[in-house]
Amino acid sequence: MTSAESDNVAFSVREFAEIDGTDRDRVYSTPGLDFAGAQEVIDSYWFASLVETDLSPGQTVVRFPDGHEETFSDQSALPPLSHTVE
């Protein structure tokens, strides 16, 4: 985890993307993510009815090694992504 505050969490995931290609052109492919599974885990605890959680991020940024970013707002699931770095 890079940082955490009451309303913001930033983290990096190493080896999140599959990398294909050559030294000259690399294609980075990330899997889709569904945050609903995390909500299901929270809901399985005895205290779930006592707390209110919202695990869908207000903003999610996927940043590739060349600085290219894909940004998603208020999405509980992210699609698979692919980006070529030349």
Side-chain angles (χ1 to χ4, degrees):
M1 183 175 321
T2 306
S3 67
E5 299 172 17
S6 63
D7 63 345
N8 184 9
V9 175
F11 59 91
S12 296
V13 180
R14 290 192 170 279
E15 299 180 20
F16 179 63
E18 182 178 308
I19 305 168
D20 291 315
T22 65
D23 286 340
R24 210 176 144 151
D25 294 324
R26 291 185 185 249
V27 178
Y28 291 80
S29 300
T30 65
L33 289 175
D34 188 347
F35 300 108
Q39 184 66 53
E40 291 171 9
V41 170
I42 294 289
D43 290 345
S44 71
Y45 285 95
W46 65 267
F47 59 82
S49 63
L50 304 173
V51 296
E52 185 176 326
T53 57
D54 178 5
L55 299 179
S56 57
Q59 184 177 57
T60 303
V61 179
V62 178
R63 187 173 296 115
F64 293 91
D66 66 343
H68 174 78
E69 295 180 349
E70 296 281 344
T71 302
F72 301 90
S73 297
D74 297 317
Q75 302 266 339
S76 62
L78 302 179
L81 301 172
S82 183
H83 175 67
T84 302
V85 176
E86 299 174 0

